[in-house]
Amino acid sequence: MAGTNGKQKTARDMILSMGVIVLVAGVIYLFIPHDDSAPDVKRVDYRVELLTARRAASYPVAAPQGLPDTWKATSVRFQGDEFDAWHLGFHDPEGEYVAVEQSTQRRPVFVDEATQGARETGQTEKIDGRAWTRYEGGRYDALVLEGKGSTTVVTGTASFAQLTKMADALEAE
């Protein structure tokens, strides 16, 4: 009989210990601050990289002019090793991602990579007198413009209306 009483105490002690641990964890959760909101995206200044890219690239590098401050530049890079490639990423006023991609890479390969596998719809849009081809995909949609010696892609999670605003704001030098 003595052995049975010891096992009951052990089980009871284990349950009490678990209760104390859950209680302490709950108190910690309640009183330690935690923020579940999306982190504030840092704005980047892309002017220096743009000037460098415009000097180094074999094509007129495009960047937006006249967009409101609610469009936040978040990433920029120019790579000129295998082929000239320009990237400029933004968060639009609705919090969606929009990127300007330009490259001298073979068009099908470049468009597939830049749009993350989006497919051509066969529709075109006249923006600032130029015919942009629409692409739709699971993750990104895009507008694609084939230029002299390079391809320009405006892509991202944003709506076609926002992609069109970006494409309309682009100026190449």
Side-chain angles (χ1 to χ4, degrees):
M1 292 283 182
T4 307
N5 193 14
K7 288 181 184 178
Q8 287 176 346
K9 282 186 177 180
T10 305
R12 186 186 59 168
D13 290 347
M14 184 175 69
I15 292 170
L16 288 174
S17 296
M18 290 297 289
V20 170
I21 290 171
V22 168
L23 183 65
V24 170
V27 169
I28 290 172
Y29 180 79
L30 287 174
F31 290 105
I32 292 185
H34 51 280
D35 186 6
D36 294 337
S37 64
D40 187 32
V41 178
K42 301 287 185 211
R43 183 182 302 268
V44 299
D45 186 357
Y46 60 89
R47 293 176 294 184
V48 172
E49 287 86 352
L50 178 60
L51 291 173
T52 302
R54 285 183 170 165
R55 278 183 284 212
S58 60
Y59 54 86
V61 174
Q65 296 292 318
L67 284 177
D69 284 342
T70 53
W71 287 77
K72 191 183 289 188
T74 59
S75 59
V76 61
R77 73 179 162 275
F78 177 76
Q79 295 174 314
D81 45 0
E82 293 179 39
F83 40 82
D84 293 346
W86 169 247
H87 161 85
L88 185 55
F90 284 83
H91 269 231
D92 75 356
E94 298 165 359
E96 296 295 329
Y97 181 68
V98 177
V100 176
E101 308 279 355
Q102 280 185 290
S103 182
T104 57
Q105 185 178 17
R106 284 185 342 107
R107 184 176 186 265
V109 174
F110 172 64
V111 170
D112 188 58
E113 288 175 3
T115 65
Q116 296 193 4
R119 298 286 171 234
E120 186 175 345
T121 64
Q123 298 175 324
T124 59
E125 242 180 85
K126 276 279 202 217
I127 302 169
D128 198 24
R130 299 174 290 187
W132 292 75
T133 304
R134 279 183 160 216
Y135 280 68
E136 291 180 355
R139 181 166 180 182
Y140 285 177
D141 292 327
L143 296 170
V144 177
L145 177 68
E146 190 160 356
K148 295 178 183 175
S150 70
T151 303
T152 303
V153 177
V154 176
T155 187
T157 59
S159 66
F160 274 108
Q162 294 296 79
L163 297 177
T164 300
K165 283 181 187 176
M166 176 60 78
D168 191 39
L170 291 180
E171 290 189 16
E173 292 181 18

